[in-house]
């Protein structure tokens, strides 16, 4: 069982939530210790009147002190406590404590102390892997994760894409925000689209406080199963036809299908100069991977890479590839690839090698 919904702020001022289809609506309530969203209460009451499940969130800006931010949120949401899911938005923009998850936990802990309801943490999937959320996850706070496959216009999705690379300290997602370009009947602009992995009863448990003080795991979790390896590895194997075509490929790649397809589409659509710059940055690795992945565009791209920017070195007696690679800030494998060397231990004096 899963529920479809949206989150809104004053950017959607005036939205008619009685006609926009949604099982739940999460409204921005406050930010820092100074801002209340002007349309929050109207949005909230309209969604409530329409029989939708409810949520409210606080945007951390990190300048007023963690305790003050938490108290400001609770003081301005007293009429919603016990009825709405509480959430805390952790983003970089306008956040003076960005990266300081100790500060974030202080906000969460104070909200819990005041309400006896554990808020969910909203943040992006990449942040889960780059910042330390261990203490937050261990304390039982749930996760509202943002991760988009792309910025294409979309309606609700029953199985939105994830990159399958894990959730950091968290073991599961309660809510997944999968698009900021959602379009639904009754509203002409973009909407954030979300899926909640649970039913109405589970939602209300989050709103009223988890039973026994621990997070209730959703009945349905987003699939995290997918092939391992880098995107480049997967694209290389696609080009070798290891995952088949059409639906077979989509099934084999699972949650990583869109990630791989975007990579392939980029190679097809980008300019040769863009691809050449990416080759120089190492994005496409060495041969045979680079040649296979770039496919029909390999020659045009490689010609740009080689023109005017290559640096060559004439081998002297006593040289070896390891020393040459170290001198020019590259690797033995790169020298081998550039120069078509079959035996890395066999070079000879007077041989001209490309080194950059």
């Amino acid at each position: 069982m899963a529920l479809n919904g949206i989150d809104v702020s004053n950017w959607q001022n005036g939205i008619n939530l009685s006609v926009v289809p949604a099982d739940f609506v999460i409204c921005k309530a406050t930010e820092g210790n100074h801002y209340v969203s002007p349309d929050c209460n109207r949005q909230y009451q309209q969604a409530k009147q329409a029989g939708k499940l409810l949520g409210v969130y606080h945007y951390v800006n990190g300048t007023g002190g963690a305790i003050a931010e938490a108290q400001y949120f609770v003081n301005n949401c007293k009429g919603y406590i016990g009825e709405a899911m509480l959430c805390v938005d952790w983003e970089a923009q306008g956040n003076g404590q960005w990266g300081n998850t100790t500060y974030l936990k202080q906000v969460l802990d104070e909200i819990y102390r005041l309400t006896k309801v554990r808020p969910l943490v909203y943040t992006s999937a990449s942040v889960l892997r780059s910042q330390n959320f261990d203490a937050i996850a261990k304390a039982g706070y749930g996760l509202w994760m943002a991760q988009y496959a792309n910025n294409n216009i979309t309606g609700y999705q029953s199985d939105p894409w994830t990159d399958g690379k894990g959730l950091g300290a968290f073991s599961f997602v309660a809510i997944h925000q999968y698009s900021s370009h959602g379009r639904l009947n009754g509203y002409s602009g973009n909407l954030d689209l979300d899926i909640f992995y649970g039913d109405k009863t589970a939602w209300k448990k989050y709103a009223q406080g988890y039973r026994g003080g621990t997070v209730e795991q959703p009945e349905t979790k987003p699939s995290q199963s997918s092939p391992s390896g880098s995107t480049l590895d997967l694209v290389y194997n696609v080009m070798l036809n290891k995952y088949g075509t059409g639906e077979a490929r989509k099934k084999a790649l699972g949650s990583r299908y869109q990630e791989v397809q975007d990579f392939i589409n980029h190679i097809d659509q980008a300019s040769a100069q863009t691809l050449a710059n990416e080759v120089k940055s190492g994005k496409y690795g060495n041969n045979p991977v680079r040649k296979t992945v770039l496919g029909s565009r390999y020659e045009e791209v490689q010609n740009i890479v080689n023109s005017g920017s290559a640096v060559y070195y004439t081998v002297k007696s006593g040289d070896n590839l390891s020393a040459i690679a170290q001198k020019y800030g590259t690797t033995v494998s790169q020298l081998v690839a550039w120069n078509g060397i079959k035996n890395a231990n066999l070079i000879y004096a007077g041989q001209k090698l490309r080194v950059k």
Side-chain angles (χ1 to χ4, degrees), residues 133 171 248:
F133 288 85
S171 59

Side-chain angles (χ1 to χ4, degrees), residues 105 109 118 132-142 169-171 213-215:
K105 186 172 184 296
D109 287 346
R118 283 184 172 82
N132 185 357
F133 288 85
D134 288 351
I136 291 170
K138 287 176 182 177
Y141 297 106
F170 292 89
S171 59
T214 58
V215 174

Side-chain angles (χ1 to χ4, degrees), residues 1 38 80 86 100 112 114 135 140 144 179 188 209 249 296 312 320 328 334 352:
M1 178 67 181
Y80 313 146
L86 306 182
N100 182 3
Y112 176 62
L114 293 170
W144 175 11
S179 178
S188 60
R249 179 190 298 176
S296 62
Y312 291 88
N320 58 65
Y328 287 95
Q334 182 65 79
K352 188 176 181 181

